[in-house]
Amino acid sequence: MPQPLVIGNWKMNGSLSLTSDILRAIESGIDDKIKCEVGVCVPYVYIAQAHSTIACDSRITVGAQTVSEYKSGAYTGEVSADMLAEINCHWVLVGHSERRVLFNEKDTALVLKVLAAQRAGLVPVYCVGETEADYKAGNTFQTIENQISALLDNKAVDLKQIVLAYEPVWAIGTGLTATPDEAQKVHDFIRQLIKKQNKEAAIKVRILYGGSVKPDSAESLFAQKDIDGGLIGGASLDVEAFLSICQKA
Ligand code: PEP
């Protein structure tokens, strides 16, 4: 069984002082009761600050929230995977629904981002999830299959060096969550899709659930067989809630 993983996604929140305050508090709150791996994806500009705040041997690993698919060059505003690797970034979110919806990021470009991240030694966290309209129309599995196929069809992607995150778009930041049973079915479906390509990777890959996870909902979600932890938005900025979620993983 893979080690559970909880990653906080701070989105576009924070400041120099908040980054230090939150990370110091999380670091000092991580005790023996927390068995999972703990990551935080902070805004680019706070990655260096995050590293200088936590100890060298900290249990917290730091990540970014997106990355360019290009290596270098005339791409104003973009940040490359090599740049993130150079500042010791470990994770990078790819295809978060806010990137897909608000910044029009499409599967083809997202798979290139995964490849760029892996080439640089980063671990991509590839996010998938259906919209409310898809959910209501009963199209959840088809949507997930389309989003995952883009990834699985590219043989250059290393499925053993990736994390998947299932985040129903209707659950992100809304206070709504999929029921543990609903989430488990989708996680199992994702694992089966991976298994068709690579049995070993299907056992090893961690599939996180995201979408308004709170301390109260975490336990029953993480108790599901194919839910290997969580991608946490809002609650990751609340130290007590985040630590409690980590404890439940
Ligand atoms: C997210 O941003 O990935 C997320 C799951 O947000 P929230 O927990 O706030 O729904």
Side-chain angles (χ1 to χ4, degrees), residues 9 11 96 98 167 171-173 210-213 231-234:
N9 171 19
K11 313 196 187 203
H96 188 282
E98 285 149 21
E167 300 201 295
I172 298 180
S212 297
V213 176
L231 181 55
I232 315 300

Side-chain angles (χ1 to χ4, degrees), residues 123-212:
V123 180
V125 180
Y126 188 76
C127 307
V128 296
E130 81 285 6
T131 60
E132 186 179 15
D134 288 327
Y135 176 68
K136 287 194 170 151
N139 291 336
T140 297
F141 292 92
Q142 191 54 57
T143 306
I144 302 300
E145 183 162 6
N146 294 344
Q147 292 170 339
I148 296 268
S149 296
L151 191 76
L152 298 181
D153 289 349
N154 191 316
K155 300 295 171 231
V157 172
D158 183 352
L159 295 172
K160 289 192 208 140
Q161 297 299 333
I162 196 166
V163 171
L164 268 292
Y166 168 53
E167 300 201 295
V169 179
W170 50 269
I172 298 180
T174 59
L176 303 170
T177 40
T179 65
D181 187 50
E182 278 174 324
Q184 163 58 27
K185 285 193 176 109
V186 178
H187 281 234
D188 174 53
F189 180 68
I190 293 172
R191 208 177 293 282
Q192 296 310 321
L193 291 175
I194 296 171
K195 196 172 171 187
K196 282 189 202 154
Q197 300 287 333
N198 188 326
K199 279 192 190 148
E200 228 182 292
I203 296 167
K204 197 177 167 204
V205 73
R206 288 179 288 191
I207 309 174
L208 311 182
Y209 172 80
S212 297

Side-chain angles (χ1 to χ4, degrees), residues 30-126:
I30 296 181
D31 58 17
D32 292 349
K33 284 193 223 133
I34 293 180
K35 310 279 184 213
C36 66
E37 215 180 324
V38 181
V40 286
C41 291
V42 302
Y44 285 142
V45 290
Y46 301 131
I47 292 172
Q49 165 81 1
H51 277 124
S52 61
T53 300
I54 59 178
C56 305
D57 60 350
S58 177
R59 282 185 56 196
I60 303 172
T61 40
V62 180
Q65 300 170 12
T66 182
V67 65
S68 175
E69 62 265 46
Y70 303 111
K71 199 159 173 56
S72 63
Y75 301 105
T76 303
E78 291 290 274
V79 173
S80 76
D82 288 337
M83 292 171 186
L84 293 176
E86 194 180 21
I87 57 167
N88 296 320
C89 212
H90 185 76
W91 317 99
V92 63
L93 305 183
V94 176
H96 188 282
S97 75
E98 285 149 21
R99 302 294 316 171
R100 289 177 185 267
V101 175
L102 303 174
F103 301 96
N104 208 25
E105 292 188 355
K106 302 284 180 233
D107 287 324
T108 320
L110 295 175
V111 175
L112 295 178
K113 287 174 192 277
V114 165
L115 290 172
Q118 290 189 330
R119 270 188 219 113
L122 307 172
V123 180
V125 180
Y126 188 76

